[in-house]
Each structure stands twice: as structure tokens, then as C-alpha cells.
Amino acid sequence: MKIIVDANIVFSGILNTNGKIGDILINSGKIFSFIAPDFLRSEIYLHYDKLMKISKLSLEQVREAEYQICKSITFVSEEQIHLPNWLFAEKLVTGIDPKDIVYVAYAKQFKCKLWTGDKKLINGLAEKNYHNVVTTNDLFDIKTSLHFDRN
């Protein structure tokens, strides 16, 4: 199952690699295929100081957490997304948060769900009858049920 991962999910995973989000990103490679916009790598780099401050981790520890979280994510450049998908996402996300256009465009391009914890985005998209979103709990439930099925 392909999943588009947004920035707040990646940052949450880096801040707590032992939490649900970290567990899903680190230990679900055989279940989920994670995709994120290429610019997210530079976003992480730009926020090292904030990540260190919030987590109370050293730069080396933040970088190790970043590696653990991001090694299962395929980063794709924005140039790979076709114009109609950008236009669809722009129209859909208007009035919610323009920063999220990219994630909706990726979900449309790759015909998969968007993983976000952003309630404003989830609710705004739902009001526009777009339900191609998955939550952390949804993915955790899928991961857990598949794990039990294999035993």
C-alpha cells in the first residue's frame, strides 16, 4: 500500500522514533511504501535546531533519528507530478492551507492515500468530500492486523 507522508508526520517520527509514528515508519516497509516530496529533506535540515530544542537530543542524535525515519521513504521531486494533479490539488486545498497542495497533488499522482495528522487539513478535505486521507491510528491498525495475520 502506497502512502504519501506529510511533513508533520516525518517531524513527529524524528522527535519520537519509539512512538506509533516512528514504529510505523521504521518497521512497516513490507506493508507500506512511503513517498514524500523531495523538498522535505531540506525542510528537515532547516529545522535541526528546533528538533534539537524540542527533543533535547544532540545534532548527532537528531541526524540518526532522521536516518531511521527517512530510510523507508522514497523522496520524489516535484517535477515528477503532472500539471493536472497540481491544479486538482490547488482547487481542493483552497481555503484550507496552501502548504498542503503538494501532498494532495502527490496523492493524486500516485493514486494513494495521504498520511497526515493535520486536523485542519483532514476536516477541510472532508468538507469538500475528499476522503483519501489516512491517520496514524488507521495505519497502526492495518499494521497490527497484518502482523497478527502472519502469526
Side-chain angles (χ1 to χ4, degrees):
M1 171 185 234
K2 287 189 275 186
I3 305 289
I4 303 302
V5 183
D6 82 357
N8 69 45
I9 294 295
V10 172
F11 282 106
S12 294
I14 292 170
L15 289 170
N16 185 5
T17 56
N18 295 317
K20 257 187 192 180
I21 291 172
D23 176 50
I24 294 167
L25 286 167
I26 294 169
N27 300 312
S28 302
K30 293 180 179 173
I31 302 168
F32 306 117
S33 175
F34 300 112
I35 302 167
D38 204 32
F39 77 84
L40 188 50
R41 288 191 239 207
S42 57
E43 279 291 303
I44 295 166
Y45 175 78
L46 291 173
H47 288 89
Y48 277 161
D49 287 341
K50 187 174 182 180
L51 289 165
M52 290 185 320
K53 183 177 180 179
I54 293 170
S55 67
K56 303 205 183 342
L57 297 173
S58 68
L59 178 58
E60 185 177 310
Q61 291 169 315
V62 167
R63 289 175 125 164
E64 177 59 26
E66 173 191 6
Y67 170 75
Q68 293 301 322
I69 292 300
C70 292
K71 70 182 179 182
S72 64
I73 300 172
T74 300
F75 291 91
V76 177
S77 75
E78 292 180 36
E79 289 82 24
Q80 301 297 316
I81 309 304
H82 300 132
L83 181 60
N85 297 325
W86 286 112
L87 297 173
F88 168 84
E90 181 180 33
K91 184 176 180 184
L92 190 63
V93 177
T94 296
I96 303 171
D97 188 344
K99 294 182 306 189
D100 294 318
I101 291 170
V102 65
Y103 302 110
V104 174
Y106 273 61
K108 179 82 169 154
Q109 176 76 33
F110 293 102
K111 298 176 178 64
C112 59
K113 296 208 179 260
L114 165 60
W115 179 15
T116 184
D118 183 339
K119 299 291 184 213
K120 180 181 175 189
L121 178 61
I122 293 168
N123 294 333
L125 292 173
E127 286 175 13
K128 295 183 177 191
N129 208 28
Y130 182 87
H131 303 283
N132 202 29
V133 177
V134 66
T135 66
T136 299
N137 287 335
D138 294 334
L139 293 178
F140 193 78
D141 290 347
I142 292 167
K143 179 181 181 284
T144 303
S145 70
L146 290 175
H147 176 73
F148 285 122
D149 289 346
R150 292 183 181 160
N151 291 329

